[in-house]
Amino acid sequence: MPPVRARGARDRLISVARRRFAAEGTITPTLDEIRRQAEVSVGSLYHHFPDKPALAAAVYAQVMAEYQAGFLAMLREQATAEEGIRSGVRHHLDWVAAHRGEAVLLLGDRLDSPDLREANRNFFTAIRDWWRPHHSYGALVAMRPGITAALWLGPAQEYARFWVAGEIGDMDSDVVGMFADAAWKALQANQVEEVS
């Protein structure tokens, strides 16, 4: 990681805020604490972020874009629709387990921004592009964005909420498999034999 001063003020602010928000939540760290830790002037801070919600939205968009990039990279490696659906569930819960503090941010309120809207637009376009051929040969049901997302990751997402809140001990691999099975059963079009 480069020294703090080697990066631009905006990047340093986001980096410090991301670390602090993941460890302490978005309420506890003050904007001035983040500014001082990032070694950024008051003028530079307000040039980039007029307030803490704007900084939090930038952190949220960055974390979401990284999550989405990892999800798409994993999805493109899957040879069949079934592997893609099951691996999507596993990837989601593995990411949450590996990034607990950042997962708390993503599982909380959606912090809208132009960067987030662009990341989401690119992500859902790529998901539709992956989905389309699997639907065309009869492996997957037609994609209906809100419904498809809920059936694919909804139960895993709720499990993740309980896990990050500390209401569940370890992330149970049997439970992850159960969610992957349920997602595949809900999203497969019919019993087709897929060729790898």
Side-chain angles (χ1 to χ4, degrees):
M1 185 172 186
V4 171
R5 290 188 187 278
R7 294 176 288 158
R10 186 178 193 280
D11 290 343
R12 293 196 313 267
L13 287 162
I14 290 174
S15 178
V16 170
R18 181 173 174 165
R19 191 170 54 253
R20 295 286 303 271
F21 292 166
E24 305 166 52
T26 57
I27 295 173
T28 302
T30 69
L31 203 51
D32 192 55
E33 288 171 344
I34 292 167
R35 179 196 66 76
R36 282 186 279 117
Q37 194 172 353
E39 299 179 6
V40 169
S41 71
V42 172
S44 186
L45 165 67
Y46 288 109
H47 170 74
H48 295 292
F49 303 105
D51 52 29
K52 191 160 70 165
L55 177 56
V59 170
Y60 184 96
Q62 183 184 74
V63 173
M64 182 64 79
E66 289 174 11
Y67 166 85
Q68 290 170 339
F71 191 96
L72 291 174
M74 169 282 306
L75 194 59
R76 290 177 181 127
E77 293 176 357
Q78 308 313 311
T80 67
E82 181 175 0
E83 289 171 5
I85 297 301
R86 291 178 182 279
S87 294
V89 172
R90 283 190 294 277
H91 178 84
H92 179 71
L93 290 172
D94 287 347
W95 187 90
V96 168
H99 302 90
R100 188 180 202 136
E102 291 167 328
V104 171
L105 296 175
L106 294 189
L107 293 171
D109 292 337
R110 182 177 183 269
L111 303 176
D112 193 33
S113 69
D115 288 344
L116 178 65
R117 288 191 297 273
E118 181 181 351
N120 284 343
R121 197 168 30 254
N122 295 337
F123 178 69
F124 291 114
T125 296
I127 293 288
R128 280 190 295 274
D129 290 346
W130 177 84
W131 197 277
R132 193 174 296 111
H134 295 296
H135 171 65
S136 68
Y137 71 77
L140 292 175
V141 298
M143 182 176 229
R144 296 164 61 192
I147 294 168
T148 300
L151 292 172
W152 194 355
L153 297 176
Q157 184 86 329
E158 285 307 304
Y159 182 73
R161 287 181 201 283
F162 281 101
W163 185 79
V164 298
E167 296 177 28
I168 297 170
D170 293 333
M171 187 84 64
D172 187 330
S173 62
D174 291 339
V175 173
V176 174
M178 185 170 46
F179 291 139
D181 290 345
W184 174 240
K185 286 176 187 167
L187 295 170
Q188 65 180 325
N190 51 45
Q191 303 295 329
V192 296
E193 188 84 18
E194 291 188 284
V195 179
S196 299

